[in-house]
């Protein structure tokens, strides 16, 4: 009996450990038998999905006397972009072959992922199929479809429709901004103290040699949010210095995550001292484990503010289209906007999770309502326009960073080690000069995305050529050929 008791105790404790998260997590509502179904493709996390599901269902019952079940399909923004473009390409080809209109591809709505993806890839570029009868005018279809909203709602929510020099909604109705975003640095207080850097205050701090193997970075080809961040560094800091900072950050990186949600988790665990992430990931993690352990900062004057949109997908029609419109109306209503930054337990706030995302609606930025927010900050007051003529590198930053640092990471790290070990200042500067050389000018890079849109093979040829260039430069440093 005495031998069995410890075993039973161990098994009981193990069962409790495994079962506790299930027992104590918020109860999931069971959809009503007559609930309408809405399928949404999103990169948003589980906390957002749960709160939005419950709030929209309640709102729809109140306004339309009809329960709704949201079925979420989840992926990173880069994955969502690839999947939707691929599926709509196939759907357009099928529609042309059968002489019919575009039909849905399995989703009603795409929600989240950044305005650049929505505006360029889903609205403007969309998908194309060659027209043999008129080669100059191929068949074209947008991934999203325009939705009309009441003018008074648009005016109340969006004001002039801008945050600094960026739009908060598409004037043609293809996408509607729901929340605002900024980007910054999440850091572990103990770790940054242990490596001697102290609290970071700007992007350049992460280029410090002391962060070597202590940075957590994400692959921009998978994460739209970090792609915006890397683009912002180039736009705000400047082209030459921006690439220098990014290259050193990537040289300091331990890995390149395929999901930006991994970074604050690893920083929190002490597996990395700092990393780049979207604002609410960093603030959420700091709140979860304590601000004495984890902090988040958006570098002053070098952060871009943008919106996170929602759109109805092309081909959705009939009852599903009406329900999709209702969802967008809910997101832009006072009830939908209060969900994002009001405190849990507030009568108008979320039930369980503080989502910590700034609402897009101007009507919530009053002293009275901001006093009820978890993060009472007004991004409209903080955002600053870019200098006139500043290029946008969103279309090229992933290709360059893969060639410069991800596909050549071993060579980059070897060169960085060599530079860090060099004691002679003049020789070290000569090595840095080789490290920072680029295979293109700023003007050439700015023109490249349009060329890639015309010739998809050129993108891969450029990536290969640039990869070879950077690898050769890094080996020159290691071998002392400078």
């Amino acid at each position: 009996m005495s031998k069995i008791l410890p075993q039973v105790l161990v098994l009981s404790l193990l069962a409790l450990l495994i079962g506790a998260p299930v027992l104590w997590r918020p109860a999931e509502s069971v959809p009503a038998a007559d609930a309408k179904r809405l399928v949404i493709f999103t990169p948003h996390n589980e906390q957002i999905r749960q709160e939005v599901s419950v709030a929209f269902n309640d709102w729809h019952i109140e306004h339309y006397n009809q329960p709704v079940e949201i079925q979420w399909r989840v992926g990173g923004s880069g994955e969502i972009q690839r999947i939707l473009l691929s599926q709509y390409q196939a759907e357009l080809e099928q529609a042309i072959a059968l002489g019919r209109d575009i039909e849905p591809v399995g989703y009603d709505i795409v929600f989240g992922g950044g305005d650049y993806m929505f505006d360029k890839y889903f609205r403007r570029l969309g998908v194309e199929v060659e027209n043999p009868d008129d080669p100059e005018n191929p068949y074209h279809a947008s991934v999203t479809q325009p939705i009309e909203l009441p003018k008074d709602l648009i005016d109340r929510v969006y004001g002039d429709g801008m945050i600094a020099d960026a739009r908060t909604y598409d004037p043609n109705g293809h996408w509607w901004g729901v929340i605002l975003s900024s980007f910054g640095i999440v850091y572990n207080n103990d770790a940054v103290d242990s490596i001697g850097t102290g609290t970071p205050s700007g992007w350049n701090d992460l280029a410090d040699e002391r962060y070597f193997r202590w940075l957590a970075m994400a692959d921009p080809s998978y994460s739209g949010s970090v792609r915006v961040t890397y683009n912002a560094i180039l736009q705000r800091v400047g082209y030459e210095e921006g690439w220098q900072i990014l290259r050193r950050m990537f040289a300091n990186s331990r890995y390149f995550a395929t999901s930006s949600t991994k970074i604050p988790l690893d920083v929190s665990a002490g597996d990395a001292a700092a990393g780049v992430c979207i604002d609410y990931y960093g603030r959420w993690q700091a709140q979860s484990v304590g601000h004495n352990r984890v902090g988040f900062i958006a570098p002053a004057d070098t952060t871009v503010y943008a919106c996170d949109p929602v759109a109805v997908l092309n081909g959705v029609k009939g009852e599903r289209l009406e329900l999709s419109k209702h969802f967008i109306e809910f997101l832009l209503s006072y009830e939908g906007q209060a969900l994002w930054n009001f405190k849990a337990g507030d009568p108008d706030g979320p039930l369980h999770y503080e989502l910590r995302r700034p609402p897009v609606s101007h009507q919530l930025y009053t002293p009275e309502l901001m006093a009820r927010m978890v993060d009472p900050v007004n991004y409209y007051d903080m955002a600053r326009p870019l200098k006139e003529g500043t290029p946008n590198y969103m279309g090229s930053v992933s290709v360059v960073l893969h060639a410069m640092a991800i596909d050549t990471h071993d060579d980059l790290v070897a060169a960085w080690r060599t530079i860090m070990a060099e004691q002679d200042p003049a020789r070290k500067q000569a090595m840095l000069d080789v490290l920072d050389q680029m295979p293109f000018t700023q003007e050439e890079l700015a023109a490249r995305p349009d060329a890639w849109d015309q010739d998809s093979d050129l993108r891969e040829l450029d990536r290969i050529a640039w990869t070879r260039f950077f690898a050769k430069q890094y080996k020159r440093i290691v071998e002392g050929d400078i």
Side-chain angles (χ1 to χ4, degrees):
M1 184 71 175
S2 60
K3 293 182 179 179
I4 296 175
L5 186 59
Q7 297 175 3
V8 172
L9 182 60
V10 170
L11 290 174
S12 299
L13 290 172
L14 182 60
L16 180 62
L17 181 65
I18 295 172
V22 177
L23 291 172
W24 291 324
R25 72 182 179 187
E28 296 182 6
S29 58
V30 177
D34 62 339
K36 299 295 183 181
R37 186 185 68 170
L38 192 64
V39 183
I40 301 178
F41 206 176
T42 185
H44 288 314
N45 62 25
E46 182 181 0
Q47 292 80 17
I48 290 175
R49 299 195 303 270
Q50 285 192 21
E51 295 291 349
V52 169
S53 292
V54 173
F56 177 54
N57 181 61
D58 292 345
W59 182 89
H60 203 266
I61 291 173
E62 178 183 348
H63 287 79
Y64 297 98
N65 196 31
Q66 175 68 57
V68 179
E69 175 196 1
I70 296 180
Q71 295 187 353
W72 299 98
R73 304 291 184 264
V74 183
S77 53
E79 179 185 11
I80 289 173
Q81 177 179 312
R82 285 189 291 271
I83 289 174
L84 287 179
L85 289 174
S86 174
Q87 290 181 331
Y88 272 97
Q89 180 72 36
E91 172 55 28
L92 178 59
E93 292 171 359
Q94 186 78 349
I96 293 170
L98 298 177
R100 59 167 173 77
D101 292 334
I102 290 281
E103 293 185 356
V105 297
Y107 324 98
D108 301 308
I109 285 174
V110 56
F111 177 26
D115 57 341
Y116 183 83
M117 176 175 74
F118 278 72
D119 200 60
K120 179 175 181 178
Y121 291 102
F122 292 166
R123 179 190 69 84
R124 182 158 56 88
L125 291 182
V127 292
E128 288 188 349
V129 173
E130 183 180 352
N131 183 352
D133 298 326
D134 187 359
E136 297 298 320
N137 293 289
Y139 297 105
H140 176 270
S142 297
V143 171
T144 55
Q145 62 174 297
I147 298 298
E148 288 189 17
L149 294 178
K151 185 178 185 304
D152 64 325
L153 175 63
I154 296 173
D155 292 342
R156 186 168 64 250
V157 170
Y158 295 110
D160 66 358
M162 305 292 291
I163 179 166
D165 48 5
R167 294 212 63 91
T168 51
Y169 73 96
D170 172 38
N172 296 312
H174 271 268
W175 57 266
W176 303 90
V178 178
I179 41 186
L180 301 174
S181 298
S182 70
F183 311 89
I185 302 166
V186 59
Y187 58 91
N188 184 297
N189 285 297
D190 291 337
V192 295
D193 286 343
S194 70
I195 64 175
T197 61
T199 302
S201 60
W203 304 115
N204 192 54
D205 292 342
L206 302 187
D208 192 308
E209 295 176 359
R210 290 172 292 181
Y211 275 105
F212 183 61
R213 292 307 207 192
W214 275 103
L215 275 191
M217 302 287 284
D219 185 333
S221 62
Y222 288 92
S223 172
S225 63
V226 298
R227 187 160 66 246
V228 171
T229 307
Y230 302 152
N231 182 54
I233 293 172
L234 293 169
Q235 291 184 308
R236 294 289 181 178
V237 176
Y239 179 81
E240 291 186 7
E241 186 180 355
W243 282 121
Q244 291 173 9
I245 291 172
L246 285 171
R247 195 189 314 247
R248 287 154 178 74
M249 288 167 61
F250 274 66
N252 285 332
S253 180
R254 299 186 60 180
Y255 59 74
F256 306 109
T258 56
S259 171
S260 57
T261 58
K262 176 178 170 59
I263 290 173
L265 294 175
D266 285 353
V267 170
S268 174
D271 293 331
V276 175
C277 71
I278 195 170
D279 51 4
Y280 75 99
Y281 286 160
R283 292 193 179 111
W284 172 270
Q285 197 61 32
Q287 175 180 298
S288 299
V289 303
H291 293 277
N292 61 326
R293 183 172 172 184
V294 172
F296 174 83
I297 181 172
D301 299 325
T302 53
T303 296
V304 166
Y305 299 90
C307 69
D308 217 357
V310 65
V312 179
L313 290 165
N314 199 353
V316 176
K317 56 181 73 73
E319 186 178 79
R320 303 296 284 273
L321 178 57
E322 282 304 305
L323 188 57
S324 297
K325 289 181 181 178
H326 293 170
F327 181 71
I328 294 177
E329 289 171 0
F330 156 73
L331 290 176
L332 300 182
S333 69
Y334 169 80
E335 294 89 343
Q337 289 288 286
L339 196 67
W340 294 100
N341 206 4
F342 278 19
K343 299 170 184 176
D346 184 293
D348 297 328
L351 291 177
H352 304 290
Y353 303 107
E354 292 176 344
L355 304 182
R356 308 194 69 165
R357 302 214 60 181
V360 74
S361 178
H362 284 268
Q363 71 175 136
L364 268 74
Y365 292 101
T366 66
E368 295 77 16
L369 294 179
M370 289 183 68
R372 297 163 64 181
M373 293 182 179
V374 184
D375 301 302
V377 293
N378 188 341
Y379 281 1
Y380 288 107
D381 290 342
M382 300 166 65
R384 298 288 181 270
L386 293 165
K387 292 180 181 178
E388 187 176 352
T390 300
N392 190 328
Y393 303 99
M394 280 289 288
S396 59
V397 68
S398 293
V399 178
V400 177
L401 285 175
H402 262 270
M404 173 190 287
I406 298 177
D407 299 341
T408 54
H409 196 240
D410 288 344
D411 292 327
L412 173 59
V413 168
W416 192 231
R417 285 184 188 274
T418 303
I419 291 170
M420 289 189 293
E422 180 58 53
Q423 298 299 310
D424 180 78
R427 185 167 177 79
K428 185 169 187 173
Q429 185 57 54
M431 291 178 175
L432 290 171
D433 291 342
V434 173
L435 182 78
D436 291 328
Q437 289 179 15
M438 304 293 279
F440 41 69
T441 65
Q442 181 178 7
E443 293 72 23
E444 289 170 342
L445 182 61
R448 229 52 193 148
D450 288 338
W452 294 337
D453 290 340
Q454 300 299 319
D455 183 355
S456 58
D457 292 337
L458 182 60
R459 176 188 178 102
E460 184 62 16
L461 291 172
D462 281 341
R463 187 189 67 80
I464 292 171
W466 296 345
T467 300
R468 289 173 177 166
F469 172 86
F470 289 123
K472 181 179 179 180
Q473 296 298 97
Y474 303 151
K475 288 176 182 177
R476 282 183 58 195
I477 294 170
V478 173
E479 294 169 359
D481 181 21
I482 58 173

